Each structure stands twice: as C-alpha cells, then as structure tokens.
Amino acid sequence: MESNKDISSAIKEIIESNFIKDDYFDSHTIINFLQKKEYHQIYLENFPKEYDVKTYHSQIAKEIRKCSDLVEEAKIKEIKTFTIYDELNPNHLWKRK
C-alpha cells in the first residue's frame, strides 16, 4: 500500500483483504495490521501530535465503525484483548458483513 492513502482507506483495505462474511475481529486486530510493514507509514503519518496512543486507537475504532458497508457491531460488543502495551483491556468487537 502506498503511504499517500488515508487511514480510513487502509482500514477498508485491511477488512476487505483479511475477513470474509461472518468473521469476527476486534479493533486491536485492525490496529495490529496498521502497525505492520505494509501499513505502518499510514499509521504513523495519521497519528495526531495532540493524541496519546489510547486516544488514537479510539479514533481508529471510530473509523472502523464508519465502514458500515463492510462491518457491523457484534452482539457481544466488547471482548478483552491485549493492547500494544501487553495489557488486557476491553475492546470493541466487529462482524464482517
């Protein structure tokens, strides 16, 4: 992926390329993809200077929610998954349409 794409385009590409109908995934999974080689430049370039990591990752979850043509909120809205700081925290759960 080219680094001139915005983060919402990257998120859509990640969802379309890695999940099929009825797959469940959480926000941290998308964040992990964004931090990988293919997308890390987009992740870094879109990180607002005034945000901390938690705020930025919350913003990424909001971007996932905007992909309503691709995903819906799972009936179980939150699960616990590990953050980049290796802390177990509640995280939003999504279902691929």
Side-chain angles (χ1 to χ4, degrees):
M1 169 175 275
E2 298 172 17
S3 65
N4 63 355
K5 290 191 178 179
D6 64 21
I7 197 149
S8 56
S9 296
I11 290 168
K12 284 181 181 182
E13 185 174 303
I14 289 166
I15 293 168
E16 290 173 334
S17 300
N18 294 282
F19 303 101
I20 61 171
K21 184 177 177 3
D22 295 331
D23 277 350
Y24 289 90
F25 59 93
D26 65 354
S27 298
H28 288 151
T29 301
I30 300 300
I31 291 164
N32 286 339
F33 272 108
L34 288 168
Q35 294 172 333
K36 301 289 183 196
K37 180 180 176 184
E38 188 175 358
Y39 299 99
H40 78 277
Q41 204 58 43
I42 296 166
Y43 175 85
L44 294 173
E45 289 172 359
N46 284 276
F47 198 130
K49 291 179 180 25
E50 66 275 9
Y51 281 14
D52 60 13
V53 171
K54 186 175 181 177
T55 304
Y56 183 41
H57 289 183
S58 177
Q59 185 62 36
I60 290 171
K62 290 175 186 172
E63 290 296 324
I64 297 168
R65 180 177 282 116
K66 290 179 186 177
C67 297
S68 58
D69 58 322
L70 297 173
V71 301
E72 62 188 5
E73 292 185 46
K75 291 184 181 186
I76 299 171
K77 292 194 189 318
E78 286 187 343
I79 60 172
K80 286 192 173 183
T81 57
F82 286 97
T83 68
I84 62 168
Y85 297 115
D86 210 25
E87 299 169 345
L88 193 59
N89 285 333
N91 197 16
H92 213 90
L93 187 63
W94 306 97
K95 182 179 178 184
R96 176 76 156 92
K97 287 184 175 178

